Amino acid sequence: MELQSRAELTPVFDDLNRYVATTHFNGQSTVTISGTAATGESYCLAHHVSVEGEERTIMIASIRYEDKFTKLDGTWLFSERRLYVDWIDTRPMSS
């Protein structure tokens, strides 16, 4: 999937509404700045809880972001983001 604008992100965030809860733990990050451009990499564990009838499940995904940033009018903005899913684990969850 390739998105070109902030407006194109709306369905991505709307899709998260299918979960009863989500939590993202952001971990190690590195950023390299060169003038008004920068690159970065960050790691995240995303937790998503689903309920279907009496069954609760949790999906945990280990994800990485490779980012490019641009400084425009004194503000750093994303110019590109690549998402990599390293692994996913889905399992029953106790209440």
Side-chain angles (χ1 to χ4, degrees), residues 8-62:
E8 291 179 6
L9 283 171
T10 300
V12 175
F13 289 109
D14 285 345
D15 187 54
L16 291 174
N17 290 326
R18 66 184 164 138
Y19 302 107
V20 296
T22 63
T23 303
H24 293 72
F25 292 98
N26 295 302
Q28 87 189 48
S29 298
T30 57
V31 176
T32 303
I33 300 172
S34 178
T36 59
T39 58
E41 182 176 37
S42 55
Y43 291 79
C44 176
L45 287 176
H47 298 68
H48 303 285
V49 177
S50 298
V51 176
E52 288 187 35
E54 298 288 318
E55 185 178 346
R56 292 169 48 100
T57 59
I58 186 165
M59 183 269 283
I60 304 169
S62 175

